[in-house]
Amino acid sequence: MAVSIDAYLTPFFHEHESLFEDSAVVMIDVFRASTTVAVALMNGAREVIPVETLEKAVKIYNSLSKEVRFLGGERNCLKPSGFDAGNSPLDYTKDNVYGKSVILTTTNGTRIFQKAKQARSRIVGSFVNLNAVIEYLTGQIENSDDNLKIIFMCAGNDDRLSYEDILCAGAFISALESIYSDNYISDPAMAAMSLYKQHSKELSAFLKQREHALKLSHLGFEQDIELCLSFDICPVIPLIEGSSIKKYENKTIYI
């Protein structure tokens, strides 16, 4: 089976109506929105509602009853005043989010979650749920009557390219390449995969020395970095459905 794989390594590109038709789009923001979404859903959140602005996040939060709402997010990596949590996945425990609608607004990730609305499916991916997403994608490919395109979209950091998102996309692409021998891999996707293979043996150590990790570390988020760079600790598949992200997979474990 021929599989077409593409990647957008930054969120800045011209998006026209048919660009993502017949595609499954995996949206990646390793530090930290994609990881936080996976952790929140694994720990029983009813849904995650990604919002671009602080004002809209607060408005949605205020429209919900106290029993079913949780307001999280960051600006410049830090928790906004009055929010229940920042963007640390460690804040999204079962005690905090079980059964709740999590409203989440971040600098990078929640912006890309608004894209590719014409796609057949939109999935939030990171290192923490890599194999679960790969299993979902292979199921989509095998059950598709036509040539389903797989597209990886990187959030980047502060409007620029980020190594952690590119290497995560590369890890996904490398996994798909090992399953399907008949592939079309675009130049950006090939670049991501090549960089991942180059650094795979020292992935965590390498990424800890890159810009975004160093910034988070300076702010005291070393534990976040460790969690975000852990493979397959959140076996959930977050699917973007309309304006919210919900868990596709039913069998999960709690952390």
Side-chain angles (χ1 to χ4, degrees), residues 156-231:
N157 181 39
D158 291 334
D159 298 339
R160 302 176 70 192
L161 177 151
S162 64
Y163 244 118
E164 68 275 3
D165 293 346
I166 291 174
L167 294 190
C168 185
F172 278 109
I173 296 162
S174 178
L176 288 173
E177 185 202 35
S178 70
I179 298 170
Y180 299 101
S181 58
D182 186 11
N183 298 309
Y184 166 77
I185 302 179
S186 72
D187 283 0
M190 183 65 72
M193 182 173 65
S194 297
L195 283 170
Y196 168 72
K197 290 182 176 180
Q198 179 182 345
H199 296 289
S200 60
K201 292 183 179 179
E202 77 289 350
L203 186 71
S204 181
F206 175 75
L207 289 177
K208 286 177 182 177
Q209 296 304 312
R210 306 279 63 80
E211 290 180 8
H212 201 170
L214 290 173
K215 181 178 181 179
L216 289 170
S217 180
H218 177 73
L219 293 169
F221 293 115
E222 290 90 349
Q223 287 183 296
D224 284 10
I225 296 168
E226 292 290 343
L227 192 156
C228 291
L229 297 180
S230 301
F231 279 78

Side-chain angles (χ1 to χ4, degrees), residues 231-247:
F231 279 78
D232 300 318
I233 61 172
C234 298
V236 296
I237 302 158
L239 291 185
I240 302 176
E241 301 175 350
S243 61
S244 72
I245 307 170
K246 296 183 178 179
K247 182 177 64 180

